[in-house]
């Protein structure tokens, strides 16, 4: 069972590393002009709306992801058997990571457009 826990931690660490690789790859693609930059320059209303949506995504999803981890761990995962708990823990960690990745990539895109 300890082997499964170690494997789970390695998988979650790899997914977290992929998170950062995606963000850095986005920056590199925009900086090297592979992805178009400045398409919203001069359109103040569109810039304002996109930046507001980015702020709202960040303000909503980050606290929600932190709260979900607390709720899922205390209410649900502790009641399961160990093999089921590992699967559930991985699923909730991946959901939380996706909730953190969405505002990061969206705001990165808004910054460069």
């Amino acid at each position: 069972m300890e082997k499964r826990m170690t494997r789970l931690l390695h998988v979650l660490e790899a997914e977290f590393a992929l998170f950062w690789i995606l963000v850095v790859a986005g920056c590199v693609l925009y900086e090297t002009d592979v992805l178009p930059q400045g398409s919203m320059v001069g359109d103040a209303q569109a810039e304002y709306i996109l930046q507001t949506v980015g702020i709202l995504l960040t303000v909503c999803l980050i606290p929600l992801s932190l709260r979900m981890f607390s709720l899922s761990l205390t209410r649900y995962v502790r009641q399961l058997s160990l093999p089921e708990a590992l699967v559930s823990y991985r699923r909730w960690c991946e959901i939380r990571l996706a909730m953190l990745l969405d505002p990061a990539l969206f705001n990165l895109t808004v910054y460069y457009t």
Side-chain angles (χ1 to χ4, degrees):
M1 191 53 62
E2 189 171 320
K3 199 176 202 180
R4 288 181 70 184
M5 285 186 207
T6 305
R7 183 174 178 273
L8 173 65
L9 289 176
H10 288 303
V11 169
L12 292 175
E13 287 171 353
E15 290 172 355
F16 183 71
L18 181 64
F19 174 111
W20 284 105
I21 290 169
L22 286 173
V23 172
V24 170
C27 289
V28 169
L29 290 174
Y30 278 113
E31 289 294 331
T32 58
D33 290 329
V34 173
L35 294 175
Q37 291 186 43
S39 61
M40 294 291 185
V41 171
D43 190 359
Q45 185 176 8
E47 286 181 18
Y48 176 77
I49 290 170
L50 289 174
Q51 289 175 358
T52 303
V53 169
I55 290 168
L56 290 174
L57 273 174
T58 303
V59 166
C60 292
L61 289 180
I62 291 175
L64 181 63
S65 70
L66 295 172
R67 185 68 180 147
M68 275 180 48
F69 185 69
S70 172
L71 291 176
S72 68
L73 183 63
T74 57
R75 291 188 182 168
Y76 182 69
V77 174
R78 288 186 182 172
Q79 298 172 356
L80 298 174
S81 66
L82 191 57
E84 293 172 342
L86 290 175
V87 171
S88 178
Y89 182 76
R90 179 178 178 183
R91 181 179 61 240
W92 283 110
C93 286
E94 289 170 346
I95 290 170
R96 287 181 63 232
L97 190 60
M99 289 175 73
L100 296 173
L101 182 63
D102 289 341
L105 291 179
F106 182 80
N107 286 322
L108 180 74
T109 303
V110 168
Y111 176 76
Y112 280 107
T113 56

